[in-house]
């Protein structure tokens, strides 16, 4: 007998899955790069010190890898999953191709790559996987992030 | 900053831990840089309605600590290519975090010196709050 996929029973907007949406662009500024690097406690002068960075291999300040988390974008596609009472970040997968540099204009596209349910001992969990791709003004992809968010019903 | 080379590492090589003790002020600076103004990362009250004792650190912030561990280790000639983590437990401001890495494999592929690592953040309670893997490219010894 074929196993029943618990995803079939979950109500969500299936039309957004696998479709890329433009979610805006962002100017990488010295203020934001330095502010972010300081909040994390970075010590690398290439992120913090304009003078030092200008003498380094990049010629300008570059952003730390996790800088993307401070980029404000328009809201991405929402699959409107009708399940659960709370949600959490379950995992994150980043691929870094090039540095983001001060002066870059980064544009982002976002898609819901996957929505799926899993049923285990603690009940059902519904995962939403969102993929965001960041490109620079030269049209090159600088990084990709896949975040998985989990919804669960805490009243179960 | 001294440079680590591909020839220096082999499976079993452990990175010197990066110790982080994020304060409430650092959390506030992070959420401000992020542009978050409400919810469990900003408001104790919001966090308490979700069953936490107070505000918790966003996964993004603790992941950034692991990214820092990787880039500081890789040095100016190395490069972090991939970071994948699972968020397993919440982290509170004031927790003492040990960000650690262990080399599990090395290979040369497509002309790249690839180093694969297990990475994790352990709290003062000995719990692994984040766990994942990373791929770092290192230069050859000159």
């Amino acid at each position: 007998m074929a196993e029943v996929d618990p995803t079939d029973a979950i109500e969500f907007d299936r039309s957004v899955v696998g479709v890329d949406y433009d979610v805006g662009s962002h100017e990488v500024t010295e203020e934001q790069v330095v502010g972010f690097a300081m909040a994390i406690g970075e010590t690398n002068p290439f992120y913090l010190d304009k003078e030092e960075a200008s003498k380094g291999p990049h010629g300008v300040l570059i952003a730390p890898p996790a800088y993307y988390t401070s980029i404000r974008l328009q809201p991405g596609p929402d699959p409107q999953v009708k399940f659960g009472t709370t949600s959490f970040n379950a995992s994150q997968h980043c691929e870094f191709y090039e540095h983001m540099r001060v002066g870059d204009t980064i544009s982002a596209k976002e898609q819901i790559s996957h929505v799926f349910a899993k049923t285990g001992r603690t009940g059902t969990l519904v995962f939403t996987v969102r993929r965001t791709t960041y490109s620079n003004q030269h049209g090159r992809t600088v990084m990709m992030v896949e975040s998985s968010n989990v919804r669960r019903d805490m009243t179960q | 900053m001294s440079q680590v080379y591909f020839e220096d590492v082999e499976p079993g090589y452990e990175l010197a831990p990066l110790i982080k003790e994020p304060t409430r002020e650092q959390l506030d600076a992070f959420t401000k840089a992020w542009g978050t103004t409400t919810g469990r990362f900003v408001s104790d009250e919001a966090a308490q309605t979700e069953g936490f004792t107070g505000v918790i650190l966003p996964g993004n912030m603790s992941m950034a600590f692991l990214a820092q561990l990787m880039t500081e280790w890789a040095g100016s000639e190395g490069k972090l290519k991939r970071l994948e983590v699972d968020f397993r437990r919440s982290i509170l401001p004031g927790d003492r975090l040990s960000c650690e890495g262990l080399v599990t494999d090395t290979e040369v592929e497509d002309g790249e010196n690839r180093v694969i690592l297990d990475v994790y953040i352990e709290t003062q309670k000995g719990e692994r709050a984040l766990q994942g893997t990373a791929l770092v490219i290192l230069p050859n010894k000159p």
Side-chain angles (χ1 to χ4, degrees):
Chain A
M1 200 174 75
E3 264 186 59
V4 176
D5 182 348
T7 311
D8 294 344
I10 304 297
E11 196 186 322
F12 65 96
D13 179 1
R14 286 163 168 81
S15 74
V16 299
V17 176
V19 182
D20 265 332
Y21 291 80
D22 280 318
V23 287
S25 63
H26 166 85
E27 294 280 335
V28 182
T29 63
E30 179 183 347
E31 186 190 2
Q32 196 167 340
V33 166
V34 173
F36 179 81
M38 288 178 66
I40 295 304
E42 286 281 2
T43 56
N44 186 334
F46 296 159
Y47 307 142
L48 291 162
D49 185 336
K50 196 172 157 179
E51 288 297 305
E52 280 298 310
S54 71
K55 293 181 229 152
H58 313 289
V60 287
L61 280 174
I62 56 169
Y67 175 77
Y68 71 92
T69 60
S70 76
I71 296 182
R72 275 177 240 181
L73 298 168
Q74 293 154 22
D78 181 359
Q80 297 180 54
V81 177
K82 304 278 190 296
F83 181 83
T85 55
T86 187
S87 73
F88 288 94
N89 272 336
S91 65
Q92 209 155 89
H93 171 176
C94 301
E95 298 276 346
F96 304 100
Y97 308 115
E98 274 187 44
H99 292 293
M100 294 188 198
R101 298 150 180 267
V102 164
D104 277 356
T105 302
I106 302 295
S107 53
K109 283 186 195 305
E110 200 160 282
Q111 70 159 263
I112 301 298
S113 49
H114 207 184
V115 177
F116 62 98
K118 264 187 181 175
T119 301
R121 278 175 298 128
T122 57
T124 298
L125 302 173
V126 180
F127 294 82
T128 300
V129 184
R130 182 180 296 270
R131 183 188 303 151
T132 313
T133 311
Y134 299 84
S135 306
N136 63 18
Q137 67 277 18
H138 308 295
R140 296 195 298 267
T141 303
V142 295
M143 74 172 299
M144 186 284 298
V145 182
E146 216 165 54
S147 331
S148 174
N149 184 273
V150 60
R151 298 192 64 84
R152 67 181 301 178
D153 186 350
M154 299 302 275
T155 60
Q156 266 182 0
Chain B
M1 212 187 315
S2 68
Q3 180 63 52
V4 64
Y5 296 102
F6 188 62
E7 291 79 3
D8 297 332
V9 300
E10 57 181 11
Y13 175 109
E14 284 180 63
L15 278 63
L18 172 70
I19 305 298
K20 290 283 187 181
E21 292 179 289
T23 61
R24 179 66 186 259
E25 290 67 35
Q26 282 170 325
L27 170 59
D28 291 345
F30 183 89
T31 51
K32 194 172 161 233
W34 187 19
T36 302
T37 54
T38 57
R40 62 174 82 118
F41 310 125
V42 179
S43 150
D44 286 319
E45 211 171 49
Q48 281 154 6
T49 61
E50 297 191 74
F52 299 106
T53 52
V55 287
I56 61 168
L57 261 67
N60 282 339
M61 185 171 179
S62 41
M63 181 156 179
F65 296 155
L66 282 178
Q68 181 183 1
L69 172 73
M70 292 294 104
T71 54
E72 285 191 352
W73 178 66
S76 57
E77 294 175 49
K79 192 171 184 321
L80 173 64
K81 289 266 285 199
R82 180 186 307 143
L83 184 58
E84 270 188 280
V85 300
D86 288 336
F87 301 104
R88 299 156 62 97
R89 288 178 191 278
S90 49
I91 295 174
L92 308 174
D95 277 349
R96 185 176 192 276
L97 308 174
S98 181
C99 308
E100 306 195 18
L102 171 72
V103 174
T104 58
D105 202 6
T106 60
E107 61 184 19
V108 179
E109 213 173 300
D110 299 333
E112 288 181 331
N113 295 329
R114 297 183 178 175
V115 180
I116 295 122
L117 302 104
D118 278 347
V119 291
Y120 56 92
I121 295 183
E122 200 163 276
T123 68
Q124 71 279 7
K125 294 177 205 148
E127 296 171 340
R128 288 196 180 183
L130 268 74
Q131 183 154 346
T133 59
L135 169 63
V136 169
I137 310 298
L138 290 183
N140 285 117
K141 227 168 210 164

